[in-house]
């Protein structure tokens, strides 16, 4: 079977750029992102002014999805991409009376032709989420996502669902997501990302469209990553199908 290109996608809760030493150091986050070297990034807990700085530092295209307003400015999720951004949308995942939560979608144009052949473009739809801290809140947000947002999105290409799901154990939200999308880390039993010095909880996950083949998933555990945020970044290498092998998706 003919295969297409491989891309690297990553999710990372940057904790407002505040490290374990309680210092606000966005430069460390930028250095960690350079270590990960992903083509597509889903970042959570980002201020609006940081979003602009991250776009400039990484030289990637970006779409920011603010979820609330704090004294320092707007605050939310950020998608970054080396591929052209051709569309985007924001969705509300807030479950009152809990704090505002959201999802931002980035629609990317990716050349999936063999050998870099031009004219074989595809779409990739990236959903970047940050779920709530409470059990029932996460279950409600999962249902909003599965039976509202994704059902009505009218996607014309493969999708990714990634972010901070705040699921400390294998609860109802995780079971619903796994039933819909499969295991987020392939054959690995668990991907532990929090807290960053000694991770014991699999909060940060990457779910993918089954048309994309998961080659590996990795938690990035560099010395810098262990101090730059309270989460560790997670990345996955995914292989796109070639257009000749699979044809266009309806």
């Amino acid at each position: 079977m003919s295969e297409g290109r491989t891309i690297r996608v990553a999710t990372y809760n940057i904790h407002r750029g505040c490290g374990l030493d309680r210092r606000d150091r966005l430069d460390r986050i930028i250095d960690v992102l350079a270590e990960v070297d992903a083509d597509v990034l889903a970042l959570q807990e980002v201020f609006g002014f940081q979003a602009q700085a991250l776009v400039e530092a990484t030289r990637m295209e970006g779409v920011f999805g603010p979820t609330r307003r704090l004294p320092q400015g707007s605050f939310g999720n950020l998608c970054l991409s080396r591929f052209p951004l051709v569309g985007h949308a924001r969705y509300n995942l807030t479950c009152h009376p809990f704090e505002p939560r959201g999802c931002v979608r980035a629609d990317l144009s990716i050349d999936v032709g063999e050998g870099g052949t031009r004219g074989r473009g595809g779409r990739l739809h990236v959903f970047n989420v940050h779920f709530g801290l409470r059990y029932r809140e996460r279950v409600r947000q999962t249902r909003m996502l599965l039976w509202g947002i994704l059902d009505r999105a009218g996607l014309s290409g493969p999708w990714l669902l990634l972010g901070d799901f705040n699921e400390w154990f294998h609860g109802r939200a995780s079971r619903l997501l796994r039933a819909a999308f499969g295991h987020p880390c392939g054959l690995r039993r668990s991907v532990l990302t929090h807290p960053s010095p000694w991770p014991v909880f699999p909060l940060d996950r990457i779910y993918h469209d089954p048309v994309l083949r998961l080659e590996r998933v990795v938690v990035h555990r560099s010395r810098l990553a262990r101090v730059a945020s309270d989460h560790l970044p997670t990345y996955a290498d995914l292989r796109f199908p070639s257009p000749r092998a699979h044809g266009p998706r309806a």
Side-chain angles (χ1 to χ4, degrees):
M1 180 176 64
S2 179
E3 296 291 349
R5 71 181 300 166
T6 298
I7 64 170
R8 176 167 293 180
V9 303
T11 182
Y12 189 19
N13 183 326
I14 71 167
H15 194 49
R16 313 179 190 192
C18 182
L20 295 188
D21 54 5
R22 299 186 180 181
R23 299 174 65 190
D24 295 326
R25 292 278 306 274
L26 193 65
D27 61 302
R28 293 190 296 204
I29 299 296
I30 292 169
D31 288 342
V32 171
L33 297 181
E35 291 175 350
V36 172
D37 193 26
D39 302 301
V40 179
L41 292 160
L43 308 181
Q44 303 84 41
E45 295 196 17
V46 184
F47 284 113
F49 67 89
Q50 293 175 326
Q52 183 58 40
L54 288 163
V55 167
E56 294 174 358
T58 60
R59 298 183 179 179
M60 300 170 82
E61 295 198 37
V63 54
F64 180 57
T67 57
R68 55 180 166 147
R69 188 83 182 177
L70 296 177
Q72 302 94 321
S74 57
F75 183 73
N77 306 324
L78 173 66
C79 288
L80 295 171
S81 171
R82 289 175 176 161
F83 306 109
L85 177 68
V86 294
H88 62 88
R90 297 197 299 266
Y91 307 97
N92 187 0
L93 293 177
T94 302
C95 297
H96 298 291
F98 307 123
E99 70 180 61
R101 298 284 179 173
C103 168
V104 59
R105 189 189 87 211
D107 304 322
L108 311 177
S109 176
I110 299 181
D111 183 354
V112 295
E114 300 171 31
T117 304
R118 294 190 179 275
R120 291 184 178 270
R123 290 287 185 268
L124 179 66
H125 306 279
V126 180
F127 292 83
N128 177 5
V129 303
H130 191 184
F131 277 12
L133 298 173
R134 295 160 183 84
Y135 182 86
R136 292 185 179 179
E137 180 186 12
R138 292 193 298 273
V139 174
R140 288 173 59 189
Q141 288 167 336
T142 300
R143 289 171 173 160
M144 292 163 64
L145 187 70
L146 294 179
W147 302 313
I149 294 170
L150 290 173
D151 269 354
R152 300 169 188 168
L155 305 183
S156 60
W159 48 262
L160 295 173
L161 171 63
L162 65 174
D164 179 358
F165 291 85
N166 265 322
E167 189 86 330
W168 301 73
F169 55 95
H170 188 53
R172 176 65 174 164
S174 291
R175 292 194 296 272
L176 287 170
L177 289 167
R178 188 175 297 185
F181 306 131
H183 201 288
C185 52
L187 298 178
R188 293 189 59 172
R189 186 174 181 84
S190 190
V191 175
L192 306 178
T193 60
H194 180 84
S196 55
W198 305 280
V200 293
F201 300 115
L203 303 189
D204 307 276
R205 306 174 188 181
I206 300 171
Y207 295 91
H208 63 91
D209 191 307
V211 77
L212 302 172
R213 192 176 77 192
L214 177 65
E215 297 194 332
R216 67 171 179 161
V217 61
V218 177
V219 178
H220 183 69
R221 295 187 173 94
S222 72
R223 180 177 297 181
L224 184 59
R226 290 178 183 271
V227 70
S229 169
D230 61 343
H231 288 244
L232 291 171
T234 302
Y235 68 85
D237 292 334
L238 297 165
R239 185 171 292 276
F240 243 85
S242 85
R244 187 167 60 188
H246 296 273
R249 177 176 172 163

